[in-house]
Amino acid sequence: QRTNIHSRLRQDITMATEQQRPLLMIPGPIEYEDDVLKAMSTIGTSHVAPNFISCYSRVLKATREVFLAPDGQPFVLAASGSLGWDLIVANTMEAGEAALIVNTGYFGDSFGDVFEHLGCVVDHVRAEIGGCPSVEAVKEALGKKTYKIVAITHVDTSTGVLAPVQALAKAIREVCPEILIAVDGVCSIAGEELRMTEWDIDFAMTGSQKALSVPPGLSVSVARSRALKAAENRKTPVPSYYCQWSRWIPIMQAYEEERPSYFATPAVQLIQAMDVALQSILANGGIEKRFEEHLAVSKAFKAALAALGIKLVAHDGLAANTLTAAYYPDGVDPAKFLGGVKANGAIIAGGLHKDIKAKYFRVGHMGNVSSRSLDHVRVVVKAIEASLKECGHSFEEGVGLAALE
């Protein structure tokens, strides 16, 4: 009976794979390369097996290359990308210390919540929806109070806003040379330009399911010396067991040196998949080429939306390249539109920001599959055109596809 169940399960999986299905074009999880998925489909493997230790070592070294942080300490842990918030806050901050959040949407709010949960004093520098706080506003806030850390969301997935991290970091250092700068790069790293060492960023984080192009389940972050020293010099114990860098650093160092070690069991199959994905990211022009590809696909897709009369949530000059957030045209029913897009070949996401949730939609175009060519966004534009027509929106048929090319 058990054999029959397994046989039916294999048949169901095969049928689901072979059948035509809509492309997954939300801002993560995304579509994955076949080789990445195959790397997960292996027999049970020990976390201290020599082949896995070598794999983990390659992943840790490649992570530095993707983050452009040759002097950083990488952490690749079994968790959601959101664990990165807890890692930086729990290790470097103590109750009563102050944090400044450069807020561009929902995920800036969430980052702030983590600081507050652990007893920190939190202030936000905010902008209107679709905007980003100016360099001048951030410098002004830093002049009013002593902060230990500034937290920036590089791309806020709720608004599609790309924060100018380089300019912000430069301005922050002019005012507070030794303050910690933490970047939430969950929807940016491996897709948007981020140069940790060159821009003097102390901590950056992401999740595997975004532009890193690995199924969900890995928290991936890098900490540099200023952040690591802040953790070493704290006066109170780290208020987390699993998040303590002092427990993880020896493990990460041992694996990188290809020595077996143990604190908590790593996600073996996911790390094997990440090994394949990172090799793909770093091949054929490396991370610089990946930045260029994401920019090219983003520009083309946004041009297609503009041709259809669709306006972006992000203000001019602030739109991300890994995703697009756009308002529904007047008179278009959100549920009917999203359902129509799916019926015509693509799954896209509705709104997330609480103030405009029912007014806009989001499309992801990141990672090793969807950013290498226009093939996937072409499917999305075609599906959007078809759905808009079904919703009664007036436009010149084919104008979006023409603008895409």
Side-chain angles (χ1 to χ4, degrees):
Q1 185 178 1
R2 184 177 297 174
T3 302
N4 290 337
I5 291 172
H6 288 172
S7 177
R8 288 198 301 273
L9 179 59
R10 283 195 298 271
Q11 289 173 5
D12 290 344
I13 292 171
T14 301
M15 287 176 63
T17 303
E18 291 176 349
Q19 287 175 350
Q20 268 198 323
R21 60 174 179 81
L23 285 175
L24 183 62
M25 297 296 289
I26 64 174
I30 62 172
E31 294 284 342
Y32 304 111
E33 293 171 298
D34 288 342
D35 287 348
V36 170
L37 297 176
K38 288 176 184 176
M40 293 186 65
S41 302
T42 63
I43 60 171
T45 302
S46 169
H47 56 287
V48 291
N51 62 322
F52 175 69
I53 292 172
S54 296
C55 170
Y56 210 164
S57 176
R58 289 192 299 272
V59 164
L60 291 165
K61 291 172 181 175
T63 297
R64 283 198 191 88
E65 294 185 58
V66 170
F67 281 65
L68 294 172
D71 59 346
Q73 173 59 59
F75 298 90
V76 180
L77 310 179
S80 166
S82 300
L83 183 77
W85 291 330
D86 290 83
L87 287 171
I88 183 63
V89 179
N91 282 284
T92 66
M93 300 294 287
E94 299 183 66
E97 293 181 326
L100 182 67
I101 312 296
V102 180
N103 193 311
T104 54
Y106 176 94
F107 291 94
D109 292 341
S110 298
F111 209 162
D113 288 346
V114 178
F115 282 100
E116 289 182 349
H117 182 74
L118 292 175
C120 300
V121 177
V122 179
D123 294 310
H124 293 259
V125 185
R126 300 181 185 272
E128 62 182 348
I129 295 172
C132 179
S134 67
V135 166
E136 292 73 21
V138 174
K139 290 175 74 171
E140 182 182 349
L142 289 172
K144 294 179 178 178
K145 191 176 192 175
T146 299
Y147 293 98
K148 187 174 184 179
I149 191 169
V150 177
I152 307 166
T153 306
H154 196 185
V155 171
D156 197 297
T157 319
S158 73
T159 57
V161 169
L162 173 67
V165 170
Q166 182 180 16
L168 287 167
K170 181 181 178 182
I172 291 165
R173 290 277 174 245
E174 290 172 356
V175 179
C176 304
E178 293 304 313
I179 199 170
L180 296 175
I181 301 176
V183 174
D184 176 345
V186 167
C187 205
S188 71
I189 288 171
E192 305 283 1
E193 183 181 7
L194 180 70
R195 303 177 186 277
M196 275 195 76
T197 299
E198 184 180 329
W199 297 353
D200 200 13
I201 305 301
D202 300 305
F203 176 82
M205 54 174 271
T206 188
S208 54
Q209 76 278 13
K210 304 277 188 173
L212 287 180
S213 305
V214 182
L218 292 176
S219 166
V220 184
S221 59
V222 173
R224 294 178 59 243
S225 61
R226 193 181 285 109
L228 296 172
K229 286 177 183 176
E232 291 172 6
N233 295 334
R234 61 182 300 121
K235 297 173 183 176
T236 58
V238 173
S240 170
Y241 183 77
Y242 187 75
C243 289
Q244 289 181 71
W245 281 342
S246 60
R247 295 183 184 276
W248 280 116
I249 289 172
I251 309 301
M252 297 295 102
Q253 291 175 342
Y255 271 111
E256 187 168 355
E257 295 165 3
E258 301 199 33
R259 295 183 287 108
S261 192
Y262 176 75
F263 167 51
T265 305
V268 174
Q269 272 71 20
L270 280 170
I271 289 170
Q272 290 173 169
M274 186 168 169
D275 184 27
V276 175
L278 291 178
Q279 289 178 44
S280 180
I281 289 170
L282 295 171
N284 302 317
I287 193 65
E288 303 292 344
K289 184 65 175 177
R290 305 295 83 79
F291 296 155
E292 293 173 9
E293 289 167 347
H294 281 82
L295 174 61
V297 168
S298 177
K299 287 177 69 174
F301 182 67
K302 289 172 173 61
L305 293 187
L308 291 166
I310 297 175
K311 297 179 180 179
L312 303 185
V313 173
H315 295 177
D316 289 347
L318 292 176
N321 298 310
T322 50
L323 85 152
T324 298
Y327 289 106
Y328 299 111
D330 291 341
V332 169
D333 178 77
K336 184 176 180 180
F337 172 75
L338 294 174
V341 172
K342 181 178 180 181
N344 283 283
I347 299 171
I348 63 175
L352 180 61
H353 194 292
K354 60 181 172 52
D355 293 339
I356 57 170
K357 189 171 184 177
K359 297 180 180 180
Y360 76 113
F361 63 95
R362 297 171 298 140
V363 179
H365 34 77
M366 70 187 89
N368 289 339
V369 177
S370 296
S371 70
R372 296 289 173 93
S373 73
L374 295 177
D375 290 349
H376 281 189
V377 290
R378 189 178 292 112
V379 172
V380 178
V381 172
K382 188 176 180 180
I384 286 174
E385 286 201 0
S387 186
L388 286 175
K389 186 176 180 180
E390 293 164 4
C391 290
H393 179 61
S394 179
F395 64 96
E396 182 184 342
E397 194 167 345
V399 69
L401 286 169
L404 181 72
E405 306 298 339

